[in-house]
Amino acid sequence: MSLILSKPIYPCDPVWTLEKLGEALRIDLAELQAVAAVANRSYTKKLVKKDREVFSARPRLKLIQNRIKMAFLHRVIFPEYLTGSLRGCDYVTNAKIHTNARILICEDVQQFFPSVGSEKVKDIWLNFFGFSEGVAELLTKLTTKAGAVPQGASTSSYLANLVLWRTEPLLQAKLADHGITYSRYVDDMSISSEFQLEPAELERIIADVYGMLRKNGLSAKRKKHEIFRESQRMVVTKVIVNKKASLSKDRRSAIRTQVHVLESRIAAGENSIELSKFLDQTSHKVGQLGRFHKNDYRDLLPRVRAAREALRINPPPFITGDNDRWPEAAPPHAPWELGGI
């Protein structure tokens, strides 16, 4: 039986000239080239946490990256096993793929974004999209920083989903042919089965995954390697998947505590921009809770709405400054996708 490969597909015509690239992005070619020349210096650090750095592109580059995303990356048709920061998908979508499994393997890619170099990005533009050498070279400069994909840029999560485009479909198809489910959420790889697997088969699956990563210049983070069995709590992208997708008791309790802290700060008369941001963060988490636990959501949602109304009546003072702005309101049902697409 031949394998059925589920590949990402770019269904549009390739771009062959730099002039056509400028037309597709609605930006003058000279502007694209000028921004590309200083792209490495056009980022600010947004977050530094443990072993990762998150960047934000400065306005000129950010505009161009958003145009690249809309003109090309949004048009890619991705297979269902890729769920990272794509429209209609998030970490919950990824987790639900693996509910009711009897065995679960979780792998994490070591230093994923810094390990995806310019040559890999150029290969995506040149061979996946089919663009010309010159177009691929310019797009690579506009979507990388210091020779790697910068985590946080609007184009980066899409490029991350395409990094393994040559080899991942074959791995997924081989696993599916044996009744085994595979998914990847950016750098989190999950493999599950609804029937038990013998130790030798487990070793073969893990070896195949590691081999695929090596072929693409990547490696697994060994300390994140985990194998769960149905007698244990099985967790995929921080969601419990034993019977149905759910949040842990600790996470549910933390969200309830955050709502209580929010109410206490408002009751104490605090009104600050920082509190408004805390309100938006709390609203986001309550919305997240509602995807799994409806009763908890129905209890907490009115309390968050009451807090928002209290701050609307007595808004925090706005302080003028280069970095100051009103926080963007996040409704209870706001999307909570990682990656910020």
Side-chain angles (χ1 to χ4, degrees):
M1 179 185 294
S2 60
L3 297 173
I4 300 174
L5 302 186
S6 297
K7 302 178 180 180
I9 298 169
Y10 180 63
C12 306
D13 293 333
V15 178
W16 280 95
T17 68
L18 293 176
E19 289 73 22
K20 288 294 184 182
L21 176 62
E23 290 176 16
L25 300 179
R26 306 190 313 279
I27 297 175
D28 185 75
L29 176 57
E31 171 76 358
L32 291 177
Q33 293 171 326
V35 173
V38 295
N40 288 339
R41 305 193 302 274
S42 299
Y43 294 89
T44 55
K45 281 186 183 179
K46 191 176 178 181
L47 174 69
V48 179
K49 186 177 181 181
K50 293 183 179 179
D51 59 348
R52 67 188 178 102
E53 295 179 323
V54 179
F55 296 93
S56 177
R58 290 174 181 162
R60 289 172 73 202
L61 180 58
K62 180 178 286 188
L63 170 65
I64 293 172
Q65 289 178 341
N66 284 335
R67 296 280 178 88
I68 292 171
K69 180 180 71 174
M70 297 304 297
F72 308 125
L73 297 169
H74 260 185
R75 298 175 186 270
V76 175
I77 301 170
F78 288 94
E80 292 183 355
Y81 59 82
L82 294 176
T83 60
S85 299
L86 299 175
R87 289 175 296 176
C89 299
D90 61 8
Y91 72 102
V92 179
T93 310
N94 181 65
K96 285 183 175 180
I97 293 172
H98 300 281
T99 53
N100 291 313
R102 298 189 69 183
I103 192 164
L104 170 69
I105 306 166
C106 292
E107 303 287 352
D108 193 294
V109 182
Q110 179 81 24
Q111 287 286 299
F112 183 54
F113 285 94
S115 298
V116 180
S118 296
E119 70 286 348
K120 181 64 67 175
V121 175
K122 184 177 177 180
D123 175 65
I124 293 171
W125 293 120
L126 186 64
N127 296 304
F128 174 77
F129 283 93
F131 295 170
S132 70
E133 179 82 18
V135 170
E137 185 72 34
L138 183 54
L139 286 171
T140 298
K141 291 179 180 178
L142 291 167
T143 54
T144 58
K145 177 187 183 298
V149 172
Q151 185 171 357
S154 62
T155 50
S156 293
S157 60
Y158 288 88
L159 294 171
N161 282 304
L162 293 170
V163 164
L164 304 174
W165 72 276
R166 290 180 178 275
T167 52
E168 193 169 39
L170 180 58
L171 173 70
Q172 187 272 336
K174 285 181 176 179
L175 292 172
D177 194 49
H178 288 83
I180 297 168
T181 301
Y182 169 89
S183 74
R184 178 164 64 89
Y185 182 79
V186 190
D187 58 349
D188 290 317
M189 309 169 77
S190 303
I191 303 102
S192 67
S193 171
E194 293 185 0
F195 51 87
Q196 291 293 350
L197 300 174
E198 296 297 324
E201 189 166 13
L202 277 174
E203 289 183 12
R204 179 185 59 78
I205 291 169
I206 295 167
D208 285 347
V209 171
Y210 288 7
M212 179 190 69
L213 292 176
R214 282 195 300 273
K215 285 180 182 178
N216 289 275
L218 303 171
S219 61
K221 189 182 294 184
R222 298 303 178 104
K223 66 180 181 180
K224 288 289 189 76
H225 166 78
E226 294 178 291
I227 298 177
F228 301 96
R229 302 186 184 275
E230 60 183 331
S231 59
Q232 303 170 281
R233 190 175 72 167
M234 307 174 84
V235 181
V236 175
T237 46
K238 299 183 180 180
V239 176
I240 300 170
V241 296
N242 289 68
K243 294 299 180 184
K244 65 176 183 177
S246 63
L247 297 181
S248 68
K249 289 183 178 179
D250 287 345
R251 290 187 72 187
R252 292 159 63 186
S253 177
I255 293 171
R256 287 193 294 270
T257 298
Q258 186 162 331
V259 172
H260 176 71
V261 170
L262 172 67
E263 292 173 326
S264 299
R265 291 173 66 175
I266 291 174
E270 181 179 346
N271 67 329
S272 63
I273 292 177
E274 193 279 327
L275 180 59
S276 291
K277 292 179 180 179
F278 185 72
L279 166 61
D280 290 339
Q281 182 191 74
T282 306
S283 175
H284 171 94
K285 289 185 177 182
V286 170
Q288 186 181 59
L289 182 67
R291 301 187 69 180
F292 306 95
H293 307 284
K294 299 300 182 185
N295 289 337
D296 290 338
Y297 178 70
R298 293 190 189 100
D299 173 54
L300 296 178
L301 178 60
R303 294 165 61 182
V304 172
R305 285 179 171 169
R308 191 175 294 282
E309 179 65 15
L311 279 186
R312 187 188 69 80
I313 294 171
N314 185 29
F318 181 76
I319 303 173
T320 302
D322 291 341
N323 298 318
D324 292 318
R325 62 179 177 87
W326 287 108
E328 296 177 2
H333 298 283
W336 35 81
E337 298 173 23
L338 300 179
I341 298 303

